[in-house]
Amino acid sequence: MRIVVLTGAGISAESGVPTFRDADGLWEGHLVEDVATPEGFERDPDLVHAFYDARRRAAASVQPNAAHRALARLEGAVGEDLLVVTQNVDDLHERAGTGNLVHMHGELRRALCTSCGARPVWEDDLATRPPCPACGERMLRPDVVWFGEMPYELDRIEQAVAACEVFVSIGTSGAVYPAAGYVALASALGAHTVELNLEPSDAVVPFDDARSGRASELVPAWVDEILEARERRRVSGC
Ligand code: BV8
């Protein structure tokens, strides 16, 4: 059974990573257009570097939670039948053990060289304008997809969403496209759709199964259900 899981900031909230739109969220302290657009970076690169350098340091200091670990456990059981598509730029899915993973909005742990296009793994601050490891130019920016920029691996994601039998949305407000549209694509093509979220999001189409609660409780419980059903099918031979 092919499963696509889309995750948002809510899956990392209990690890201590602020979400965007909850109270005291990331957008609270900043105007999106100032810190998450190419125009904002053009206007004030120091502000944008400070915003992402602080988030990179914070993300390195927290740990994956039970929700991230449950998805890694599911991948351990079903392998290639699971693809995790995350809107998050932290590396908590990787650190929990997930391998089949797409960071559609980029990663804090990568830089993007605006001179040569290299995308080196990057753990340190960028505000000091370090040289690009590939070309030496001091033109590195966070490798994060800003508003108005093309997300990564859209073809691969859309193919997986169109082909999946189960589509699960975890910890996302469904406010940003094209990610927010995937539930409609999956549903239109016959997938069973599930939402695991603190409260129901304003999804573009209703989920078949919408569960409210914290990801660290809902996700392990849902993974247990999937694995138990899979074991029953194996034992009964159907
Ligand atoms: C693009 C990286 C061209 C940066 C981010 C229609 C089609 C295509 C594009 C558009 C369109 N309409 C408008 C657009 C343009 C725009 C857009 O969507 N604007 C919105 C505001 C209307 N989209 C773009 O610009 C995208 N690019 O369109 O390219 C194109 C054209 C056609 C087709 C393809 C491409 C690029 C957008 C990427 C922006 N970058 N992030 C960074 O991280 O700094 S966006 C950022 O916000 C996230 O990545 C995520 O995508 C988005 C939403 O955040 P969430 O993860 O959902 O977090 P949020 O705080 O909102 O919600 C948290 C949720 O968790 C809540 O529901 C809460 O209840 C829940 N929760 C909280 N705690 C818990 C919990 N759940 C469970 N347990 C808990 N403990």
Side-chain angles (χ1 to χ4, degrees):
M1 169 180 30
R2 291 182 301 278
I3 305 170
V4 170
V5 172
L6 173 70
T7 65
I11 198 170
S12 296
E14 291 162 86
S15 294
V17 179
T19 64
F20 291 97
R21 292 171 182 79
D22 292 328
D24 75 9
L26 281 166
W27 295 153
E28 283 285 292
H30 303 84
L31 285 175
V32 173
E33 38 284 0
D34 289 342
V35 293
T37 62
E39 298 76 16
F41 183 63
E42 183 75 29
R43 210 170 29 247
D44 189 348
D46 289 329
L47 171 71
V48 176
H49 278 311
F51 178 63
Y52 284 97
D53 285 354
R55 287 175 62 192
R56 188 178 303 103
R57 275 185 247 114
S61 69
V62 298
Q63 299 301 324
N65 64 57
H68 299 103
R69 291 194 298 272
L71 292 180
R73 176 160 59 92
L74 180 59
E75 181 181 307
V78 306
E80 295 294 318
D81 277 351
L82 172 66
L83 176 66
V84 177
V85 178
T86 189
Q87 301 169 86
N88 299 340
V89 292
D90 63 54
D91 63 343
L92 295 177
H93 282 301
E94 295 91 321
R95 285 165 53 198
T98 288
N100 303 337
L101 175 66
V102 177
H103 275 280
M104 66 180 293
H105 290 160
E107 300 171 63
L108 286 170
R109 283 180 70 253
R110 273 190 196 283
L112 170 62
C113 179
T114 56
S115 176
C116 73
R119 295 175 59 201
V121 171
W122 200 268
E123 315 269 358
D124 306 320
D125 287 357
L126 288 170
T128 53
R129 303 308 195 276
C132 167
C135 74
E137 291 296 321
R138 295 177 182 275
M139 305 277 284
L140 293 172
R141 57 164 272 190
D143 187 21
V144 165
V145 177
W146 287 325
F147 287 94
E149 296 187 321
M150 190 61 76
Y152 286 119
E153 301 197 61
L154 288 183
D155 291 345
R156 177 184 175 195
I157 297 169
E158 281 156 18
Q159 278 169 26
V161 171
C164 76
E165 289 152 280
V166 179
F167 177 82
V168 189
S169 178
I170 302 173
T172 180
S173 59
V176 171
Y177 287 82
Y182 290 145
V183 58
L185 174 63
S187 183
L189 293 178
H192 177 68
T193 59
V194 181
E195 179 172 64
L196 308 177
N197 211 55
L198 202 56
E199 69 249 342
S201 67
D202 49 1
V204 63
V205 296
F207 285 89
D208 297 322
D209 175 2
R211 304 182 192 182
S212 295
R214 298 188 324 183
S216 64
E217 290 158 14
L218 291 181
V219 181
W222 173 76
V223 167
D224 289 345
E225 278 175 33
I226 290 288
L227 295 181
E228 282 153 17
R230 191 166 177 271
E231 180 58 15
R232 282 195 299 274
R233 280 196 302 275
R234 189 187 67 79
V235 165
S236 66
C238 69

